[in-house]
Amino acid sequence: MAAFGSVFMPKMALATFENNQWSEASIVASDSIQLHPGAHVLHYSSTCFEGLKAFRHADGSVHVFRMDQNIKRLAQSSRLLSLPIIDEAQVSKMILDAVAEFATDVPEPPGSMYIRPTHIGTEAAVGKAAAPTLTSMLYVLLSPVGDYFTGGAKALRILLDETGMRCAPHMGMIKSGGNYASALGPISRAKVEVQADQILFCPNGDVQETGAANFLLIDGNEIITKGLDSSFLHGVTRSSILTIAKDMGMTVSERDLTVAELLERAAKPEAEAVLSGTAAVLTSVGTFIHNDKEYKVGTGEPGPIAQKLRQALNDIQWGKSEDKHNWLTKVC
């Protein structure tokens, strides 16, 4: 398939906020947006988004995974960025209507339809550097996708960075473009200098998240990840994997994890490390790079527990196993 997220459906759902109210949503051409060059989003980054997926089941039906959680997070991001409060019911309908419009284009497994709801400030007011936009636009883009990481099941090389952060701590819970942009420079340098696929940001030795995914360490029957706080993104896939791990009888530890403990545990032959996210799903880490040294994680290859957890998640998404947590919303 084409590079992840580079192909889009020709139409999208769109609604605007003006005069203190949301317009009726409509399905419009994906290239129909018009913005004033003074729009708030272009100058002061009043923008947030979500990423979720729709899956085709063997009977031909199409289902969206954990839509309610993504909409709640979009509402939280909008609120923390002082964007207009979204109408969660309206956003839900926009997502379902957009997916229904292109239901026949939802790929067969292992592909899916990636869904990108986006909320941007549109008021033309370059004097509002310290004031929120009074108008905004919310749209839902669709993109048929395959795997986020190309090259198959190859384990990733991750640089441990104890000096930098992915984003400002008070922005951590917001899924905003600026957070990704702030991590691009360090990630790009890491790719060139040490051939890393990503950076795991560990400010002052505190293991947090990578530039685009949450991080989890697997040590035998225990899965360890940083406890939720306001400094990093609360991933929906992270939550799903932890729930599945508990269902499998694993011990889930949400707590602080230091770089020293991480490297000590990673040296065990059975240790595994993974990145989780809507795009990445669950992707294994084979090597840590720290202070110019390389540390193999377990065997250095994708491990059996990570593969088991990923398969269990995929089986729910693709309708191959019971959806006992009611994570799926049927579109058609």
Side-chain angles (χ1 to χ4, degrees):
M1 296 183 72
F4 188 100
S6 63
V7 174
F8 298 96
M9 294 294 97
K11 295 181 180 180
M12 64 181 183
L14 182 143
T16 57
F17 186 86
E18 296 178 354
N19 300 317
N20 281 325
Q21 63 181 3
W22 283 98
S23 69
E24 291 284 334
S26 57
I27 300 295
V28 301
S30 294
D31 61 358
S32 63
I33 283 182
Q34 290 187 338
L35 279 179
H36 190 281
H40 200 273
V41 63
L42 301 177
H43 298 267
Y44 306 119
S45 298
S46 51
T47 171
C48 56
F49 63 91
E50 276 301 319
L52 61 160
K53 288 177 177 177
F55 299 87
R56 181 174 302 284
H57 290 189
D59 63 1
S61 61
V62 173
H63 303 253
V64 179
F65 184 72
R66 302 207 73 176
M67 178 176 68
D68 59 332
Q69 294 303 303
N70 287 98
I71 293 174
K72 285 181 181 178
R73 195 169 63 179
L74 182 66
Q76 173 179 272
S77 294
S78 297
R79 185 174 64 255
L80 293 175
L81 287 173
S82 298
L83 280 161
I85 301 300
I86 68 170
D87 181 334
E88 295 186 32
Q90 181 184 46
V91 177
S92 175
K93 187 175 187 304
M94 289 170 68
I95 291 171
L96 296 178
D97 286 351
V99 174
E101 180 82 9
F102 295 101
T104 58
D105 295 290
V106 176
E108 297 284 345
S112 59
M113 183 68 81
Y114 188 77
I115 306 165
R116 175 55 66 91
T118 304
H119 190 192
I120 63 174
T122 55
E123 184 180 1
V126 296
K128 279 198 160 186
T133 179
L134 294 179
T135 64
S136 69
M137 177 186 299
L138 198 154
Y139 55 86
V140 179
L141 278 173
L142 302 180
S143 176
V145 297
D147 280 338
Y148 181 69
F149 289 106
T150 58
K154 177 177 68 72
L156 303 178
R157 291 169 53 85
I158 301 295
L159 175 67
L160 305 181
D161 183 350
E162 294 190 65
T163 59
M165 295 189 71
R166 175 176 178 260
C167 64
H170 70 282
M171 292 287 288
M173 289 170 54
I174 304 172
K175 195 169 178 68
S176 181
N179 290 352
Y180 292 81
S182 70
L184 280 178
I187 293 170
S188 297
R189 288 193 295 273
K191 289 181 178 180
V192 172
E193 294 172 2
V194 295
Q195 293 74 55
D197 296 294
Q198 256 291 353
I199 289 179
L200 178 56
F201 293 97
C202 312
N204 300 314
D206 178 34
V207 177
Q208 294 188 347
E209 61 184 336
T210 70
N214 290 132
F215 174 79
L216 304 95
L217 176 67
I218 302 169
D219 185 356
N221 195 52
E222 183 180 15
I223 186 165
I224 306 167
T225 189
K226 182 173 176 61
L228 295 179
D229 63 26
S230 61
S231 69
F232 73 105
L233 196 65
H234 301 178
V236 176
T237 303
R238 171 193 179 279
S239 169
S240 304
I241 289 295
L242 294 184
T243 299
I244 290 171
K246 290 176 184 176
D247 289 345
M248 291 180 172
M250 295 184 69
T251 299
V252 172
S253 299
E254 296 184 72
R255 60 172 176 81
D256 289 345
L257 175 67
T258 65
V259 169
E261 181 184 359
L262 173 63
L263 293 177
E264 179 183 350
R265 287 179 178 265
K268 298 179 182 180
E270 72 277 10
E272 301 179 40
V274 292
L275 306 185
S276 71
T278 299
V281 188
L282 202 64
T283 303
S284 292
V285 176
T287 304
F288 291 130
I289 306 160
H290 183 246
N291 292 340
D292 299 321
K293 294 182 180 179
E294 296 191 5
Y295 299 83
K296 187 165 64 173
V297 181
T299 64
E301 300 296 329
I305 298 177
Q307 293 178 22
K308 184 179 179 181
L309 289 167
R310 177 176 176 138
Q311 190 62 55
L313 176 62
N314 285 156
D315 284 349
I316 295 170
Q317 292 170 331
W318 296 331
K320 295 180 179 179
S321 63
E322 181 187 1
D323 175 26
K324 61 183 179 181
H325 297 290
N326 298 313
W327 286 342
L328 298 173
T329 301
K330 187 174 182 179
V331 179
C332 59

